[in-house]
């Protein structure tokens, strides 16, 4: 049994991770500023003696005695991380420095939730960890992309300089229950639009691609990375290599929801990556990890979740 700090623990991925680690018998400190997270995501855990909820912002120092830190605090949806870009980069950089400082003081292991965005608009496909990426440093996505790249740099420098026990996971598009209705990312937008029989908004011509990983597969990967016995630190891609064009993805959601929605086309946001698919050979080799949920199965579970949420909010 360990005492585990999860920053961003009231968010979409963080809440699933908290639940899983709690069920494994650990003590959990869930730290969140509730920018995009919600108490609803963790309401069922409040009251459990091993679960502690702390309202705190990672850009301020935080002190506690912990064995492990999962550093997830950061808005992940483009509309949310672009809402206050200076805050986003502060969260990535100052937040990570604070968590690294805490890990150093406690001699704790720390896992950084990095992202496929560090590859930018990739010229290597599928993306392998050796690829350094193609990122615009001055665009509207840079607060997130460069913030997350800097966080990886900080992790590696603390590792080299202080011999910290670090782990870096490069997470590819992940979806599932507890995504917020107003999240703005493609999975939640398309499902909610389809369930309401409203037009599905495809940005650009829909030829850009993404690969979608179900949340329980992802949290399994994060835990395997944290606990691997070979001291494998990454960076390692975690994602599901099932790749879709966004247009095909819209058609799939219409099919799975039996929706009457039409597809409409809207302007492609600036610097929207053209293609994204993880090469997960390294995760398979080092962590014996591979996603087990087929995209259609994961989507049906997610559709069920949003259907309930919409009925409740009526
Ligand atoms: P999310 O927005 O649901 O969760 C982020 C959580 O962090 C929220 O609860 C939010 O309130 C909290 N937070 C934000 N800024 C904070 C701050 N300054 N201090 C304290 N808490 C703060 O997003 P998510 O999809 O659960 O993403 C979790 C992590 O995984 C993020 O770091 C994200 O960059 C990373 N990630 C996610 C995906 C994905 O597809 N979901 C892909 C790549 C990387
Ligand atoms: N997208 C879309 N319609 C939407 C939301 C997103 O066509 O309503 C596209 C977006 O332009 C991008 C892809 O879907 O090409 C994934 O977007 P998301 O915001 O989910 O995540 P990203 O991978 O871009 O960070």
């Amino acid at each position: 049994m360990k005492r585990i700090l999860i920053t961003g623990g009231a968010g979409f991925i963080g809440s699933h991770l908290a639940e899983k680690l709690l069920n494994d018998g650990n003590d959990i400190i869930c730290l969140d500023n509730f920018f995009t997270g919600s108490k609803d995501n963790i309401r069922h855990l409040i009251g459990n003696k091993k679960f502690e909820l702390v309202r705190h912002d990672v850009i301020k120092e935080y002190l506690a005695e912990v064995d492990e830190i999962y550093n997830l605090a950061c808005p992940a949806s483009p509309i949310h991380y672009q809402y206050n870009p200076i805050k986003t980069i502060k969260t990535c950089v100052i937040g990570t420095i604070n968590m690294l400082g805490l890990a150093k003081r406690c001699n704790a292991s720390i896992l950084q939730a990095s992202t496929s965005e560090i590859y930018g608009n990739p010229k290597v496909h599928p993306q392998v960890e050796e690829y350094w990426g193609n990122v615009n440093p001055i665009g509207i996505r840079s607060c997130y992309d460069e913030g997350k790249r800097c966080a990886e740099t900080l992790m590696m420098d603390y590792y080299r300089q202080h011999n910290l026990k670090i782990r870096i996971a490069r997470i590819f598009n992940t979806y599932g229950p507890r995504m917020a209705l107003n999240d703005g990312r493609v999975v939640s937008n398309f499902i909610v639009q389809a369930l309401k029989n409203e037009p599905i908004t495809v940005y650009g011509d829909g030829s850009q691609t993404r690969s979608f990983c179900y949340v329980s597969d992802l949290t399994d990967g994060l835990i395997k990375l944290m606990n691997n016995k070979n001291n494998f630190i990454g960076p390692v891609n975690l994602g599901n290599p099932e790749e879709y064009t966004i247009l095909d993805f819209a058609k799939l959601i219409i099919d799975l929801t039996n929706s009457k929605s039409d597809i409409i086309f809207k302007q492609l946001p600036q610097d929207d990556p053209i293609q994204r698919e993880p090469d997960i050979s390294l995760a398979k080799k080092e962590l014996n990890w591979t996603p087990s949920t087929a995209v259609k199965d994961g989507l049906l579970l997610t559709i069920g979740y949003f259907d309930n949420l919409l009925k409740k909010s009526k």
Side-chain angles (χ1 to χ4, degrees):
M1 192 206 72
K2 290 171 280 198
R3 184 177 296 172
I4 302 176
L5 171 65
I6 304 174
T7 75
F12 157 54
I13 297 176
S15 62
H16 286 278
L17 186 64
E19 188 174 328
K20 197 167 276 186
L21 291 169
L22 194 64
N23 286 339
D24 289 344
N26 299 292
D27 266 320
I28 304 298
I29 303 176
C30 169
L31 180 155
D32 209 292
N33 72 348
F34 298 109
F35 174 49
T36 50
S38 158
K39 277 194 190 145
D40 288 340
N41 289 339
I42 39 147
R43 201 172 293 286
H44 58 299
L45 308 180
I46 297 173
N48 186 318
K49 280 194 198 126
K50 288 172 166 283
F51 183 80
E52 194 177 333
L53 178 61
V54 179
R55 181 185 286 266
H56 184 84
D57 195 305
V58 284
I59 71 170
K60 300 279 182 218
E61 199 182 25
Y62 175 73
L63 294 178
E65 293 301 319
V66 294
D67 304 304
E68 288 180 355
I69 303 169
Y70 288 84
N71 189 32
L72 271 62
C74 184
S77 160
I79 56 164
H80 290 130
Y81 69 65
Q82 288 165 22
Y83 172 75
N84 185 345
I86 295 169
K87 178 70 195 248
T88 299
I89 201 158
K90 279 185 177 173
T91 297
C92 291
V93 177
I94 302 172
T96 303
I97 291 174
N98 283 335
M99 288 307 125
L100 283 162
L102 178 63
K104 183 165 171 265
R105 269 194 298 273
C106 302
N107 193 26
S109 306
I110 177 167
L111 181 149
Q112 170 64 10
S114 190
T115 166
S116 53
E117 293 284 333
I118 70 105
Y119 299 120
N121 192 13
K123 293 187 169 166
V124 169
H125 192 74
Q127 289 76 59
V128 286
E129 289 83 351
E130 293 76 30
Y131 179 50
W132 290 353
N134 176 35
V135 175
N136 177 358
I138 55 169
I140 55 171
R141 293 174 85 102
S142 312
C143 60
Y144 184 77
D145 299 10
E146 296 289 18
K148 290 283 188 177
R149 286 170 69 93
C150 183
E152 284 199 10
T153 308
L154 285 162
M155 294 284 289
M156 291 307 299
D157 284 335
Y158 269 76
Y159 171 68
R160 285 184 288 251
Q161 207 170 323
H162 297 301
N163 206 17
L164 229 68
K165 293 174 274 184
I166 66 151
R167 304 284 189 256
I168 302 172
R170 290 185 181 153
I171 303 170
F172 283 64
N173 297 61
T174 299
Y175 69 96
R178 299 198 197 133
M179 292 187 95
L181 271 176
N182 68 347
D183 182 85
R185 283 178 278 186
V186 68
V187 177
S188 44
N189 274 10
F190 284 6
I191 292 178
V192 172
Q193 289 162 346
L195 288 172
K196 291 179 163 176
N197 292 309
E198 288 174 358
I200 307 274
T201 54
V202 168
Y203 301 158
D205 63 6
S207 61
Q208 72 273 30
T209 70
R210 293 293 186 275
S211 307
F212 299 99
C213 185
Y214 190 63
V215 64
S216 59
D217 286 332
L218 193 267
T219 49
D220 283 349
L222 294 177
I223 294 170
K224 278 195 163 184
L225 175 59
M226 178 66 104
N227 293 319
N228 84 82
K229 298 288 176 233
N230 302 329
N231 201 24
F232 168 68
I233 63 171
V236 61
N237 292 337
L238 294 179
N240 186 335
E242 257 190 80
E243 185 187 20
Y244 289 83
T245 68
I246 292 302
L247 185 56
D248 284 344
F249 193 65
K251 291 175 185 162
L252 176 63
I253 301 279
I254 290 174
D255 251 20
L256 294 177
T257 49
N258 289 318
S259 173
K260 298 186 184 67
S261 293
D262 294 324
I263 292 175
I264 58 168
F265 294 89
K266 294 206 159 184
Q267 201 180 354
L268 188 69
Q270 190 193 321
D271 292 338
D272 201 285
I274 300 295
Q275 52 183 2
R276 227 191 255 142
E277 181 199 336
D279 181 318
I280 56 166
S281 319
L282 190 63
K284 280 183 187 159
K285 177 171 162 260
E286 295 290 345
L287 306 175
N288 192 24
W289 176 85
T290 185
S292 62
T293 313
V295 171
K296 276 184 195 162
D297 296 337
L299 283 176
L300 287 173
L301 295 169
T302 313
I303 289 166
Y305 158 79
F306 276 113
D307 199 26
N308 267 332
L309 206 59
L310 288 173
K311 280 179 186 140
K312 269 195 240 159
S313 64
K314 265 184 194 161

